[in-house]
Amino acid sequence: MPKTFIVPSFILDIKRLPSLLKVGGFCASFSLASMGFAQDVLPKEDQLKLKLADQLLVRPVVPDDVAPTFTSSKKLDGVMDRQMRLEGDAVIRRNRTVIKGDVITYDPDTDIADVDGNATLLKDSTSFKGPKAKIKVDAQEGWMDQPDYELRDIGGGGKARRVEFKEDNEIEFEKLTYSTCRPENLDWYLTASRMDVEQDTQTAVGTNAVLHFFEVPILYTPVFSLPTGSGRRSGFLSPTYGRASRGGVKGWDVTLPYYVNLAPNRDMTLFPRYLEGRGEQLGVEYRYLDRNYTGVVTAEALDDAAYGKNRWAFGLKHTQNIANGLQGYADYSKVSDDLYVDDLGKSLNGVVNRQFNQEVGARYGYAGWNILTRVQKFQTLQPDPNPAYQVLLPYEREPQVNAKYVRNNWNGLNVTVETDATKFTYKGLVNSSRTFKEGNRAYATTSVARPFMTPGYYLTPKVSFRTTQYSVDPFPGQADLNKNITLPTFSLDSGLVLERDALELNTLFSRNILMTLEPRAFYVYTPYRYQNDLPLFDTADAGFGISQIFSENSFAGNDRIADNNKVTFGITSRVLDADTGIERLRATIAQRIDMEGQRVGLTAEQTPIKRSDLLAGLSTRLVGNFNLDGVIQYNEQVSKLVQQSVTASYRPELRKLLNASYKRVVNPADTKATSDQYELSGQWPITRQWYGIARYNFDLISNQVLNRVAGLEYDADCWVVRVVHRHYQNTSVLATSEIYMQIDFKGFTGLGSNPINLIRFNIPGYEPISPNPAPISPFESYE
């Protein structure tokens, strides 16, 4: 049988091939096996598979050295086993590699293609175009003069004097430019004497580079490195710098992070930082991950010239799987002084909370039981010298053991048992809220509920018993306390769920709408016990709102149990998207009637007053991305609104955002406002490329601006500039003013101080302009 080879549309007999080679004026398309141009005839079923695979562009995984070679051209000259000359739109394809040119001379013995005129090499997500090239097709080695190149994985490209394709998929550029800008809009570009791209390791390393911005050189670096994929690698990250006024010291703040890729499951980032007027700071973040443990360690230190002392911060978060169901953990953080986060902190969380958790413990779960044992301490910062503005120190747990058992649907009953034993210690000075320096508290709570559930109604009676034992040591001048309190609580929760098709709303919402009506009645009874002599270890007022009005206790914590003889009636109505289940609108109105008056207070006994509070709430998720959430509370005894809260947001499209909120809380006893603030924030395009961002938070009681943010963003084709100013009140006498400036060259680096985290923290819903080029379509490299 004669030797044959396969082509996408027909089979040629090799004996007739020489007479067919010298043909002009037609497009020849055939397959040349790279090993001798011939292979045994494939079975018909395999021929069919190959044809279908080629038509569907599904390439079988075939090594380059045995893969078929496809060619096409307007004119073809040559001899079968000798040189071939392809003229006019000449193309050679093998696997995912495409070579094009005006004229291609191909030698099968050496597997070398000489390309003259409009030389093009396409491989995977890279492309090169130049006047001349020589390429070894199988090894994909060779060179190209004066190429225009694209590295599509990172959205970059440029020009070079010469590019060489070396073994192991390495590409070497000489005298090159690089940018992620479009050629017709080359706002910034990098010039370098050399750049080596290793596609296997997805890295690009260059030397003697100068960054040009609008033709002006702004940065020189002897060595630079770029990622060409998503893999991690060691190298310098974008530096940050800016000016700030903190703690009376004004000056530059510059950080040059360096990332170290230690292992696939470990890495480290170094943060060398210079603060003008203070000195040099070194920070480090070490992350690790394993099958049985994970964690992160952070540390930073500075010999502060302005403060006159060494200042530092340390943090550790670690989780360890010890055995099946048993997990240990540590969450520890500490700073050197009360003003550290105001003067040196990079985290907004520390400025807001001013409290650092120091906790070590273990958790165990098995067969419905969840057991926690821990030691928990706190570092609470006190930056304000005014005692009226100082933060109240919490009690520390040394230690706590908590066990909780939950069993649902046990013979129709829901059973919960919880026990807890804790030793509390207080490290601060005595004040009106802290009368005990340390003490032991143990409690046990058991509750049994029997729910009756149907699609249209529910009824849940519940009985619970709580026993609490105290043994505490007071501050000097106070009496010891050893006391046991046992209180039962009975509650009855009931409701209906009525639903109908709201045809009259279909036109308004342009979709099928369901409407519900859900009346609810809730009764709770707890007898009175005197508790004013008990400590407040972990308890606060739970507030009064939509989520709390149907609860059994008006306190959050375990040191107070409110005496209750209250009934709450409420109605909720929902507007639902019938096709998706999305809740478009929810309105609730509820009235809680205190039939006897509550006597137990947080810090003192209350005069029992039969109260009737009316609560109304509205929440919307309307089509058009306009959202409104509001709550009001009306007290009939004082005939006043004692709580008003409203939040509105409008988000018609990406990067168009407006937020507004107002909150006022009044003390019913003296009708004075305890909180009265409003806030405005947003992000909005000013022109096609300019965006404005702002936040304004004002306190009406102190007549003071608490937080003010204003900034601009400019989005060009391949770079972004951000300028943001923030002024916020740290304490009653201390304020911080900062200016963040950043130029982000998309897909390359950023210069300045990155304000994105700051903006996100202050403006809910903010969407930053992408710092990277747009992702490449899978159809862009279809050739």
Side-chain angles (χ1 to χ4, degrees), residues 220-238:
Y220 168 78
T221 176
V223 180
F224 72 92
S225 181
L226 292 172
T228 60
S230 58
R232 300 182 308 166
R233 60 187 184 82
S234 300
F236 284 101
L237 304 177
S238 298

Side-chain angles (χ1 to χ4, degrees), residues 755-766:
I756 288 181
N757 289 335
L758 163 72
I759 302 172
R760 279 177 170 160
F761 184 85
N762 283 276
I763 303 176
Y766 164 78

Side-chain angles (χ1 to χ4, degrees), residues 238-244 246 252-255 722-724 738-743 750-759:
S238 298
T240 63
Y241 58 87
R243 290 187 66 87
R246 291 182 168 188
W252 288 100
D253 185 346
V254 183
T255 304
R722 299 180 178 92
V723 180
V724 179
E738 299 172 317
I739 295 179
Y740 294 78
M741 297 175 292
Q742 182 193 40
I743 299 178
L751 300 177
S753 187
N754 189 349
I756 288 181
N757 289 335
L758 163 72
I759 302 172

Side-chain angles (χ1 to χ4, degrees), residues 186 211 215 341 357 365 369 480 531 574 628 756:
L186 202 63
L211 179 63
E215 302 296 338
V341 297
N357 190 42
W369 281 98
D480 293 343
Q531 301 171 49
R574 306 174 198 266
L628 178 67
I756 288 181

Side-chain angles (χ1 to χ4, degrees), residues 555-576:
F555 299 106
N558 300 286
D559 296 308
R560 294 290 186 272
I561 302 176
D563 52 317
N564 290 314
N565 188 8
K566 302 170 185 174
V567 61
T568 304
F569 299 99
I571 295 178
T572 298
S573 181
R574 306 174 198 266
V575 174
L576 307 172

Side-chain angles (χ1 to χ4, degrees), residues 281 298-302 311-315 333-336 340 356:
Q281 182 189 65
T298 58
E300 52 192 39
L302 165 71
R311 310 178 76 180
W312 51 267
F314 176 79
S333 55
K334 187 176 178 65
V335 295
S336 58
Y340 187 90
F356 292 88

Side-chain angles (χ1 to χ4, degrees), residues 104-335:
I104 300 179
T105 302
Y106 177 66
D107 189 337
D109 289 335
T110 61
D111 198 32
I112 293 178
D114 285 296
V115 188
D116 191 8
N118 294 314
T120 301
L121 173 63
L122 305 174
K123 177 171 174 57
D124 294 329
S125 60
T126 60
S127 70
F128 306 87
K129 296 181 181 180
K132 189 174 182 179
K134 176 176 284 190
I135 300 169
K136 191 171 185 179
V137 180
D138 181 16
Q140 297 176 11
E141 299 174 5
W143 53 264
M144 181 181 291
D145 282 338
Q146 300 176 5
D148 293 339
Y149 68 93
E150 286 186 80
L151 306 176
R152 294 191 180 102
D153 281 343
I154 55 176
K159 300 177 180 292
R161 186 177 70 180
R162 183 181 175 93
V163 61
E164 293 193 10
F165 309 102
K166 298 188 173 183
E167 60 183 356
D168 298 326
N169 280 328
E170 184 178 347
I171 304 172
E172 182 180 299
F173 295 91
E174 295 180 8
K175 297 294 183 181
L176 72 140
T177 65
Y178 173 83
S179 179
T180 59
C181 299
R182 292 177 295 182
E184 66 274 15
N185 188 27
L186 202 63
D187 292 345
W188 72 267
Y189 61 90
L190 190 75
T191 60
S193 59
R194 176 172 172 170
M195 183 171 74
D196 295 331
V197 178
E198 297 182 3
Q199 293 182 318
D200 291 342
T201 59
Q202 296 185 330
T203 58
V205 180
T207 57
N208 295 325
V210 178
L211 179 63
H212 299 257
F213 189 46
F214 287 101
E215 302 296 338
V216 177
I218 61 172
L219 179 68
Y220 168 78
T221 176
V223 180
F224 72 92
S225 181
L226 292 172
T228 60
S230 58
R232 300 182 308 166
R233 60 187 184 82
S234 300
F236 284 101
L237 304 177
S238 298
T240 63
Y241 58 87
R243 290 187 66 87
S245 174
R246 291 182 168 188
V249 179
K250 298 180 180 180
W252 288 100
D253 185 346
V254 183
T255 304
L256 182 60
Y258 185 82
Y259 177 79
V260 185
N261 184 23
L262 300 174
N265 62 335
R266 286 173 173 81
D267 64 11
M268 180 172 62
T269 306
L270 301 175
F271 297 94
R273 182 184 182 190
Y274 170 73
L275 295 104
E276 186 178 1
R278 295 187 183 275
E280 296 80 24
Q281 182 189 65
L282 179 62
V284 62
E285 179 186 72
Y286 174 67
R287 301 187 302 176
Y288 53 92
L289 174 67
D290 203 272
R291 178 176 298 180
N292 292 318
Y293 59 85
T294 181
V296 57
V297 180
T298 58
E300 52 192 39
L302 165 71
D303 189 4
D304 194 338
Y307 197 73
K309 291 183 179 180
N310 185 27
R311 310 178 76 180
W312 51 267
F314 176 79
L316 168 66
K317 291 182 180 292
H318 179 86
T319 302
Q320 178 85 41
N321 293 325
I322 302 173
N324 186 26
L326 179 60
Q327 184 182 79
Y329 72 93
D331 182 1
Y332 185 93
S333 55
K334 187 176 178 65
V335 295

